[in-house]
Amino acid sequence: MPEDLLAFTSVADVGVALANVAEIDEVIGRIAAESPARDHDRDPERGLRADVRELARLGLTAARLPVAAGGAGLTYPQLVDLQILLARADANVTQSLRTHFTTSDRAARAIARGETDAATAEIAAGLLFAGATTEGAGEIGTVGTTLRTDADGILRLNGRKAYATGTGYADRISVLASDEDGRHLVAIVAADAEGVALHDDWDGVGQRLTTSGTVEFTDVVVDPERVRVGEGSRTDRLGNLDAVLQLTHLATLAGIALRTRDDAIAWLRSRTRNFSHASTAVPADDPQLQERIGTLDGLAQAVVASVRTAAALLGADLDRPLAEQTGDGHLAVTRAQITVPALVQQAAQSVFDLGGGSLVDGRLALDRHWRNARTLSNHNPVHLKARALGERALVGSDLPEIWYVGTGRLGASAPASATASTRASATASTPAEKEPAR
């Protein structure tokens, strides 16, 4: 296995030891080849949805599970490498599977503790999970989507979620809701259940194929066995759970940096024409262009190294019992959120300095790299992360464990549903609620 992720060419390089590796690689290769046209057309039905479903059928989306549970036994750092590899093919794929990868990681950890997780068998069978947490209105820390028992004793879900990433690919949706007492709960419902309405109305400049639109829930029947409460406070630091979600964004950005590098090299190698005042007749021989490719290579390496270091620290911390978790991984992820977005946006912008008008041909869709990177970076404003790190460095404050978005006075007391106990009950799905741009 190569140590340099820039040299990875197969899922086997990240540790996937399945018999059908060649078949999986073929699907990922097709995703990579089609990604410019699919972004240009902005239509997930142009094959991407089918390809993601094919990866699930082939077992790749269960790779984090132990072999005995139907997976490939990937470690957490290997799962992050897989996310980078998929984002290198198409950033929409990793982002669409963000909740799914988090769910599979949680299931693998439950199995390692000798416990069971209801999602395990479904993931092993090729079912896909997505999340619906963010709401377009409400006070900070409150959840307007409700989970109530009706007069007939049936538990029902009602509400409207925005930025529900990946729901158009999913079989199951994890929905953040609140009960009569304002406690935060996470309910799992079938994506095609009666009363679930999916709207692919995401209109962001980037990540166009992630089906991150609106989802409406109207009297959706919920199985009480598929409702989670309080597991975050029982097994892991909340900051670490938030870091798992945020590291998926960073892994996606790392994949974008790699693909920007790849596309720049491929384009430059294909060129036979050059400007009359260029240094060489062949563009690939031009020292100035070689310097620019070298810069892209270095930027990609720096981004990947930062993400992989954070993954190693976070994975090691999550492997410890709750009382022994240090928060080192959470800190590493937060620090990476300061540098990685800027480096990837720099790379995605600088690719256009390699040539002339042909580089901006819409069919190449090279602009998708910057648009995707800019969109992902907006999910977690860098200045807020930097301020939290600065306060920690100066006065020793703890990093925020969960980031909320909503209305509310600065410094006001948190509402009842945002107290420590109820924030803990929101588990790994809650941090996604902080995303202001999605």
Side-chain angles (χ1 to χ4, degrees), residues 34 89-90 94 97 129 158 160 228 233 244 258 280 284 302 329 393 399:
E34 293 291 331
D90 190 328
T94 301
L97 295 175
F129 284 72
N158 284 277
R160 179 185 178 91
R228 305 196 306 267
S233 61
V244 168
L258 288 168
T280 61
L399 292 176

Side-chain angles (χ1 to χ4, degrees), residues 261-350:
R261 167 194 176 272
D262 296 343
D263 286 352
I265 292 171
W267 184 85
L268 197 57
R269 282 175 173 168
S270 72
R271 302 301 292 171
T272 58
R273 302 171 65 209
N274 209 350
F275 291 98
S276 60
H277 51 289
S279 300
T280 61
V282 178
D285 293 336
D286 190 325
Q288 292 174 303
L289 298 182
Q290 290 173 349
E291 180 270 337
R292 293 188 181 278
I293 292 294
T295 299
L296 285 173
D297 188 84
L299 288 172
Q301 177 64 36
V303 167
V304 168
S306 178
V307 173
R308 296 184 87 191
T309 297
L313 288 169
L314 182 57
D317 207 22
L318 285 166
D319 285 342
R320 302 182 182 109
L322 174 60
E324 299 175 16
Q325 291 181 13
T326 63
D328 290 346
H330 180 204
L331 176 60
V333 171
T334 304
R335 284 172 170 162
Q337 287 177 293
I338 306 301
T339 57
V340 167
L343 292 177
V344 178
Q345 290 174 58
Q346 177 186 341
Q349 171 64 33
S350 66

Side-chain angles (χ1 to χ4, degrees), residues 95-175:
Q95 177 71 358
S96 297
L97 295 175
R98 180 180 185 235
T99 296
H100 179 86
F101 284 133
T102 304
T103 303
S104 68
D105 179 64
R106 183 179 60 247
R109 294 186 189 284
I111 294 170
R113 295 191 300 265
E115 303 170 0
T116 59
D117 188 291
T120 300
E122 293 175 322
I123 293 172
L127 272 64
L128 297 176
F129 284 72
T133 60
T134 306
E135 296 178 0
E139 295 182 357
I140 290 176
T142 64
V143 178
T145 300
T146 61
L147 196 59
R148 304 281 192 272
T149 301
D150 67 13
D152 297 321
I154 299 173
L155 195 59
R156 294 188 182 275
L157 180 70
N158 284 277
R160 179 185 178 91
K161 297 291 188 179
Y163 313 128
T165 300
T167 48
Y169 298 88
D171 302 287
R172 301 286 183 267
I173 305 175
S174 301
V175 187

Side-chain angles (χ1 to χ4, degrees), residues 39-391:
D39 181 89
H40 184 269
D41 294 349
R42 203 169 180 166
D43 182 5
E45 297 298 346
R46 196 189 187 281
L48 185 58
R49 197 190 307 272
D51 283 341
V52 171
R53 301 298 312 179
E54 182 69 1
L55 291 178
R57 185 189 70 80
L58 294 172
L60 187 66
T61 53
R64 176 70 175 102
L65 299 179
V67 174
L74 295 190
T75 64
Y76 177 69
Q78 288 174 324
L79 177 66
V80 173
D81 282 349
L82 175 60
Q83 292 172 331
I84 295 172
L85 188 70
L86 290 173
R88 189 178 197 169
D90 190 328
N92 292 284
V93 175
T94 301
Q95 177 71 358
S96 297
L97 295 175
R98 180 180 185 235
T99 296
H100 179 86
F101 284 133
T102 304
T103 303
S104 68
D105 179 64
R106 183 179 60 247
R109 294 186 189 284
I111 294 170
R113 295 191 300 265
E115 303 170 0
T116 59
D117 188 291
T120 300
E122 293 175 322
I123 293 172
L127 272 64
L128 297 176
F129 284 72
T133 60
T134 306
E135 296 178 0
E139 295 182 357
I140 290 176
T142 64
V143 178
T145 300
T146 61
L147 196 59
R148 304 281 192 272
T149 301
D150 67 13
D152 297 321
I154 299 173
L155 195 59
R156 294 188 182 275
L157 180 70
N158 284 277
R160 179 185 178 91
K161 297 291 188 179
Y163 313 128
T165 300
T167 48
Y169 298 88
D171 302 287
R172 301 286 183 267
I173 305 175
S174 301
V175 187
L176 183 65
S178 62
D179 66 5
E180 293 88 341
D181 298 320
R183 293 181 305 161
H184 293 178
L185 310 169
V186 177
I188 309 297
V189 299
D192 60 355
E194 184 177 356
V196 176
L198 307 179
H199 306 286
D200 191 8
D201 53 6
W202 163 246
D203 196 29
V205 297
Q207 297 297 94
R208 291 173 168 177
L209 303 178
T210 55
T211 62
S212 298
T214 305
V215 183
E216 295 175 293
F217 304 94
T218 305
D219 288 334
V220 179
V221 176
V222 177
D223 180 354
E225 296 296 319
R226 303 308 300 271
V227 178
R228 305 196 306 267
V229 180
E231 66 185 32
S233 61
R234 181 171 59 84
T235 60
D236 295 301
R237 292 172 60 127
L238 291 178
N240 281 343
L241 296 177
D242 178 77
V244 168
L245 285 160
Q246 298 322 308
L247 196 53
T248 302
H249 283 327
L250 296 178
T252 307
L253 285 166
I256 293 171
L258 288 168
R259 183 58 183 270
T260 301
R261 167 194 176 272
D262 296 343
D263 286 352
I265 292 171
W267 184 85
L268 197 57
R269 282 175 173 168
S270 72
R271 302 301 292 171
T272 58
R273 302 171 65 209
N274 209 350
F275 291 98
S276 60
H277 51 289
S279 300
T280 61
V282 178
D285 293 336
D286 190 325
Q288 292 174 303
L289 298 182
Q290 290 173 349
E291 180 270 337
R292 293 188 181 278
I293 292 294
T295 299
L296 285 173
D297 188 84
L299 288 172
Q301 177 64 36
V303 167
V304 168
S306 178
V307 173
R308 296 184 87 191
T309 297
L313 288 169
L314 182 57
D317 207 22
L318 285 166
D319 285 342
R320 302 182 182 109
L322 174 60
E324 299 175 16
Q325 291 181 13
T326 63
D328 290 346
H330 180 204
L331 176 60
V333 171
T334 304
R335 284 172 170 162
Q337 287 177 293
I338 306 301
T339 57
V340 167
L343 292 177
V344 178
Q345 290 174 58
Q346 177 186 341
Q349 171 64 33
S350 66
V351 71
F352 292 100
D353 294 330
L354 291 171
S358 58
L359 261 181
V360 297
D361 190 313
R363 291 166 295 183
L364 289 176
L366 288 176
D367 61 309
R368 76 189 188 281
H369 299 317
W370 184 88
R371 290 187 286 100
N372 290 340
R374 180 67 267 175
T375 299
L376 287 166
S377 301
N378 270 47
H379 292 341
N380 299 281
V382 171
H383 67 282
L384 296 180
K385 296 291 184 180
R387 190 211 60 78
L389 284 171
E391 184 180 24

